[in-house]
Structures are given as C-alpha cells and as structure tokens.
Amino acid sequence: ALSPTAVASVFAAKGRPPSDPLIVHVPSFPLALPLIDPPAPALHAASALAAALWPGPLTLVCPASAAVPAAVTASTGWVGVRSPRHDLAQRLLREAGGPIAAP
C-alpha cells in the first residue's frame, strides 16, 4: 500500500481506473494510525469504531497521511482503511509486515 510501484501493479492487474481509490487493509487499528491524519475528535471516533467493530466489515474513511501514495486515494486525500475478520487475511497482513492495498 505504501509502494507506488506496487499500487500501480494493483490498478494494472485489475484494470481499475485511477479515479477509483483502493482500500488499505491492516491487521489492527494501531497499524492504521500511520496511514491516517484526522483531527483529534475524528481520531477518537475512529478509534472507538475500530475497537467496537474491527476486525470486521467496517471501512474507516479518513484524511490520508503523507505516507499514503496519492494513487491509493485517487488523489482525493482520503483513504479507506479496513481490518478484515477472515483468519487467512489477518495472517497474510501480519506476515506482510505492512498495509496491503486492494480493491
């Protein structure tokens, strides 16, 4: 999710238009923190939502930090972050050692 080359590969492999942002997947909320840059009240709300609903189907949409390539956000400045519930996805995210961007 943080490599512009890897992100470009996702768009190419899926035939996805660059105007359609990707979702960034993480195993837990603390690992989402470097990806988002919300104001303090929104950060508190995002943390509470993640504590209650992650891992699960909730995608948090927040202002993206400078660490997130513009291509991931379709140059909107906003990033969708999700922590999937599926055991295999969680294992893959932990093994990857960083966030994974996917459609």
Side-chain angles (χ1 to χ4, degrees), residues 19 28 38 46 56 64:
S19 59
S28 64

Side-chain angles (χ1 to χ4, degrees), residues 62-90:
C62 299
S65 75
V68 179
V72 170
T73 71
S75 297
T76 65
W78 293 80
V79 64
V81 185
R82 177 183 295 173
S83 181
R85 183 183 311 274
H86 195 278
D87 290 338
L88 180 58
Q90 281 288 322

Side-chain angles (χ1 to χ4, degrees), residues 29 33 36 41-54 60:
F29 187 70
L33 290 173
I36 60 175
L43 179 60
H44 178 71
S47 176
L49 285 167
L53 300 170
W54 273 12
L60 296 172

Side-chain angles (χ1 to χ4, degrees), residues 5-47:
T5 304
V7 170
S9 296
V10 172
F11 280 99
K14 297 298 287 181
R16 191 176 183 92
S19 59
D20 196 358
L22 298 174
I23 296 172
V24 179
H25 298 80
V26 294
S28 64
F29 187 70
L31 295 175
L33 290 173
L35 307 172
I36 60 175
D37 191 22
L43 179 60
H44 178 71
S47 176

